[in-house]
Amino acid sequence: MTPPARVHTFTDDALGDHDAVELARLIRAGELSAAEVEAAAVARLQEVQQLHAMAYESYDRPRRADADTGLLHGVPTLLKDNTDLRGTPTNHGSEAFSARPATRDGRYTTQFLSTGMTVLGKSRMPEFGLNATTEFRSGPPTPNPWNTRHSVGASSGGSAALVAAGAVPIAHANDGGGSIRIPAAAAGLVGLKPSRGRHIDGETARTLPINMVSEGVVTRTVRDTAIFHAALERHWRNPALPPLGLVEGPARRRLRVALIMESVTDAVIDAPTKAAVEQTATLLEEQGHTVDPVPVPADARFGDDFLRYWGLLAFLAGNLGRLTIDRTLDQGRLDGLTDGLRRTFTSGGWRQTPAALLSLRRAAAAYASVFDHHDVVLCPVVAGVTPPLGHLSPNVPFEELVDRLTRHVAFTPLQNITGAPAISLPMGLSEEGLPIGIQLSAAYGDERTLLELAYALEEQSPWPRIQDTA
């Protein structure tokens, strides 16, 4: 059997192995020009076409902010294919329609562009962001650059693949059930899902019965994630949340850490993932923090309720999509996961949905109670190392696929429903050389503690780098 490929583009060009913070500094200092950095990124994106991670290329007409005052001015990036960018189509990862170019920027896009970054196109995602792998009904999958036989996660899989491979240092991601944190864990990246309301909500998020979508980025360093969120605040800050500002390093205070090794779906955590979480607990204790095991702060029915809500979202996309997304949407071309979820909803699942939504809304109080006695929660991102391509494909029979997804995506949805922040950090490698992420979460509005703790772990145990491992 041919050995699995490891794909990266790190080389001695204008991008080098710089993160976004360093690139922005070099551009401000005049040591690099934004044009040569952009050209290097385009060359790298073209070099990794085998990752099939680009939904739309706009190399000949990149989008930039009108002013050059953003903290990340000149840094090349990508926008995810579920966010409108004027002049480019938004296809939501679906083969069921062909979108026309957007006539205006999305609400969140304006805030994203205010950071000063240069958007070179759109990254791929699974249909409507419903799956935890970037695989499709008929198109080629987006593989993991660490091992191209494996999934790169989802739904922000295209962004994660291209950041991990070094094509761009930072890329847009959003998270409605783990879609920042899951691909970050799969690709060895940092992925912060911020608190609900930390940023301007996109159009879709504003219409949801429970707004569980958070916007953000995937990055290779903690400081890139920190400066991105500081840059967003320069454009708009939610007065209902404590200001985040620029978090620049660890804090000295000692924290009470709750260790959770049970999932909301009773999933079994595999040995490599368990070891990575336990090793992280040991590192935190070495820093002087207290780590206490606690039970999962969620009702036993949470997993089923979340799945019913997922079915409602599939119904809204599949059955009402001609009105809300694109008039050319063809239900017959929806992938197996979207179609199965919406059919389950229409065949009777809708009857339990009102009770499920009520139960999910009550979950925030149970989750918040953890922080009566703890500052941070430590747990896995997903129940196991990212699976081989095909394991979560939308072409797997629906009932089997839902069972596999439930067993895999076992920890991330809780923060989406409660609105609390959570971050994925790359704290291990499997025997096959695949990254393993751990998750830290905090009370609503407390991203600062997560970033400070992430800085400390990055300093204590530097992340594995794709260009350094065989």
Side-chain angles (χ1 to χ4, degrees):
M1 180 182 292
T2 304
R6 175 164 292 177
V7 177
H8 74 78
T9 61
F10 290 99
T11 188
D12 186 20
D13 59 8
L15 287 177
D17 61 0
H18 301 312
D19 66 358
V21 168
E22 179 63 6
L23 284 172
R25 186 196 70 79
L26 291 168
I27 291 170
R28 282 194 305 272
E31 297 178 44
L32 288 174
S33 71
E36 62 185 318
V37 170
E38 179 183 313
V42 170
R44 289 192 183 194
L45 288 165
Q46 292 173 331
E47 185 181 337
V48 291
Q49 293 185 54
Q50 71 268 40
L51 294 177
H52 306 292
M54 292 292 289
Y56 185 83
E57 300 170 357
S58 55
Y59 306 151
D60 57 338
R61 46 189 180 89
R63 277 295 302 281
R64 308 176 183 87
D66 293 333
D68 61 359
T69 56
L71 293 178
L72 293 171
H73 169 66
V75 174
T77 191
L78 303 165
L79 201 65
K80 187 175 170 181
D81 186 32
N82 59 1
T83 303
D84 282 350
L85 182 71
R86 188 182 69 247
T88 64
T90 304
N91 238 86
H92 297 272
S94 179
E95 298 175 12
F97 66 100
S98 295
R100 292 159 293 176
T103 58
R104 66 185 68 181
D105 290 335
R107 288 170 48 85
Y108 174 72
T109 303
T110 303
Q111 188 178 22
F112 186 83
L113 289 171
S114 74
T115 64
M117 293 189 289
T118 301
V119 177
L120 297 176
K122 287 192 168 182
S123 60
R124 284 179 96 203
M125 58 179 285
E127 186 167 77
F128 303 120
L130 295 174
N131 208 340
T133 187
T134 310
E135 298 180 59
F136 304 90
R137 176 175 172 266
S138 63
T142 299
N144 194 319
W146 288 77
N147 181 326
T148 53
R149 291 180 186 158
H150 284 254
S151 171
V152 74
S155 65
S156 308
S159 288
L162 292 168
V163 173
V168 290
I170 182 171
H172 173 229
N174 44 34
D175 193 317
S179 294
I180 292 174
R181 292 159 288 161
I182 292 170
L189 303 174
V190 176
L192 171 66
K193 184 207 86 67
S195 298
R196 180 184 295 135
R198 179 62 76 181
H199 48 76
I200 295 173
D201 283 328
E203 286 74 10
T204 299
R206 292 163 60 85
T207 66
L208 296 177
I210 299 175
N211 179 4
M212 58 182 189
V213 179
S214 287
E215 304 287 348
V217 287
V218 285
T219 68
R220 296 193 295 269
T221 63
V222 176
R223 68 179 188 171
D224 276 4
T225 292
I227 199 171
F228 171 79
H229 287 280
L232 290 186
E233 275 194 339
R234 285 188 167 194
H235 178 81
W236 178 85
R237 185 180 76 77
N238 187 343
L241 287 170
L244 182 56
L246 179 57
V247 183
E248 298 185 88
R252 293 185 177 181
R253 63 193 178 109
R254 296 298 169 249
L255 304 173
R256 300 162 298 172
V257 180
L259 174 64
I260 294 179
M261 298 297 278
E262 304 169 36
S263 77
V264 294
T265 62
D266 293 325
V268 177
I269 304 169
D270 72 10
T273 302
K274 183 179 180 182
V277 175
E278 290 176 342
Q279 175 60 21
T280 303
T282 298
L283 292 173
L284 292 173
E285 288 177 330
E286 290 174 359
Q287 293 176 16
H289 307 299
T290 301
V291 180
D292 303 311
V294 302
V296 61
D299 188 278
R301 58 180 285 184
F302 180 91
D304 291 336
D305 289 339
F306 187 82
L307 189 60
R308 290 190 181 98
Y309 187 30
W310 219 230
L312 170 61
L313 300 184
F315 167 80
L316 294 175
N319 289 56
L320 304 181
R322 286 190 176 183
L323 299 175
T324 60
I325 300 173
D326 192 281
R327 65 173 181 261
T328 66
L329 190 146
D330 179 359
Q331 290 183 3
R333 300 189 66 210
L334 294 170
D335 75 18
L337 179 59
T338 304
D339 189 53
L341 285 170
R342 76 181 184 90
R343 288 180 182 277
T344 299
F345 179 83
T346 56
S347 65
W350 60 270
R351 294 185 180 90
Q352 292 81 38
T353 300
L357 291 174
L358 179 61
S359 177
L360 290 173
R361 290 190 180 101
R362 292 172 175 166
Y367 179 80
S369 68
V370 174
F371 301 101
D372 292 341
H373 303 288
H374 295 87
D375 303 295
V376 173
V377 171
L378 166 66
C379 69
V381 176
V382 286
V385 177
T386 191
L389 289 170
H391 182 75
L392 299 177
S393 165
N395 297 318
V396 170
F398 176 69
E399 295 296 337
E400 185 176 356
L401 176 56
V402 168
D403 181 65
R404 291 179 181 183
L405 282 168
T406 300
R407 293 176 185 277
H408 186 60
V409 184
F411 294 90
T412 53
L414 186 56
Q415 289 78 26
N416 294 93
I417 294 299
T418 62
I423 192 168
S424 173
L425 301 175
M427 293 300 294
L429 285 176
S430 71
E431 289 185 0
E432 298 83 11
L434 285 161
I436 301 171
I438 63 90
Q439 179 172 241
L440 298 170
S441 54
Y444 179 69
D446 193 18
E447 289 92 334
R448 173 169 287 274
T449 294
L450 296 181
L451 289 168
E452 290 171 343
L453 202 52
Y455 270 118
L457 287 168
E458 183 181 37
E459 181 180 295
Q460 185 182 18
S461 181
W463 319 138
R465 303 197 320 163
I466 194 171
Q467 65 267 45
D468 292 343
T469 50

